[in-house]
Amino acid sequence: MTPLPPPEPSPILSNQRSIDVKKLRFEVNKIQLPIGIEGSFGMIRHPGAALAVPIQENGNVILLRQYRFAVSRRILEFPAGTLEANEDPLSSIKRELGEESGYQAKQWHNLGLMLPCPGYSDEVIHLFLAQNLTPLEKKPLGDEDEDIEVLEMTKNELEHAIASGNEPLDGKSITAWHRACQFLNL
């Protein structure tokens, strides 16, 4: 995958307010856009994240049904997590895959980056394909606030879930699945 074009930072003229919460920072800054316009803009500063598309030898996919408080529901998604300070994305997702799904992968492929909400967040998600999965003898403890059910689906079941709209999925998972299918020529 080709890297994203280099950023064109907008100069911050002043910080009007900031709030720090659990790995995130909400800022309202007066900035100057590349076209010269000045204005106040709110944004979320995010340390980045990593996501895995775990695929079994038989072609089945490991997914999570996870409760997400912001949308007050459980959604289907691939294992993912926020990067710790100075953490390598691949190291992060290897840890998260074990904590969230109870699997480890022997083979990893980079599927590139995605920007999930560029209108209000600087988050970058690093996407990976995880293959040659084996269940861990003992699943490591994850975050105490995680409410996760681990599922195994066929390619057709996942495609139906995406196409039907009967089960909520998040954009990062749909994008990662699309990239994995391109990589694997599915």
Side-chain angles (χ1 to χ4, degrees):
M1 300 255 147
T2 53
L4 296 174
E8 298 176 64
S10 300
I12 296 174
L13 305 174
S14 66
N15 174 266
Q16 296 170 326
R17 73 181 72 99
S18 298
I19 301 172
D20 291 305
V21 293
K22 195 177 178 179
K23 299 184 183 179
L24 302 175
R25 180 178 179 88
F26 300 92
E27 293 180 357
V28 178
N29 294 320
K30 183 175 180 184
I31 65 172
Q32 182 178 24
L33 298 173
I35 58 175
I37 293 175
E38 294 180 7
S40 293
F41 296 91
M43 72 177 297
I44 298 170
R45 298 282 187 187
H46 193 286
L51 173 148
V53 177
I55 299 184
Q56 304 262 37
E57 300 266 342
N58 64 6
N60 289 353
V61 182
I62 302 298
L63 286 137
L64 311 174
R65 183 174 287 122
Q66 185 166 358
Y67 181 79
R68 294 299 189 175
F69 71 88
V71 293
S72 302
R73 68 184 71 226
R74 297 168 197 284
I75 64 171
L76 276 184
E77 58 186 278
F78 287 115
T82 303
L83 301 177
E84 299 294 336
N86 301 313
E87 187 176 31
D88 171 68
L90 183 56
S91 299
S92 173
I93 194 53
K94 285 180 178 181
R95 175 180 43 80
E96 290 288 343
L97 179 63
E99 288 176 4
E100 293 186 344
S101 74
Y103 284 90
Q104 65 183 356
K106 292 180 183 153
Q107 189 174 11
W108 292 88
H109 300 281
N110 187 337
L111 298 175
L113 306 172
M114 76 160 295
L115 306 171
C117 303
Y120 57 83
S121 174
D122 66 354
E123 181 180 11
V124 174
I125 301 177
H126 303 263
L127 308 175
F128 295 94
L129 174 64
Q131 295 177 292
N132 295 330
L133 303 179
T134 54
L136 296 170
E137 286 185 30
K138 184 177 179 191
K139 185 179 171 189
L141 292 176
D143 297 334
E144 68 179 355
D145 62 349
E146 290 179 326
D147 181 356
I148 296 173
E149 176 187 2
V150 180
L151 306 171
E152 184 174 332
M153 300 177 96
T154 66
K155 176 187 181 294
N156 288 341
E157 289 169 334
L158 177 54
E159 292 288 342
H160 177 73
I162 293 169
S164 70
N166 293 333
E167 177 125 35
L169 282 96
D170 66 337
K172 72 183 185 311
S173 295
I174 294 170
T175 299
W177 176 243
H178 178 73
R179 296 246 184 102
C181 288
Q182 287 179 317
F183 182 86
L184 296 168
N185 294 315
L186 296 178

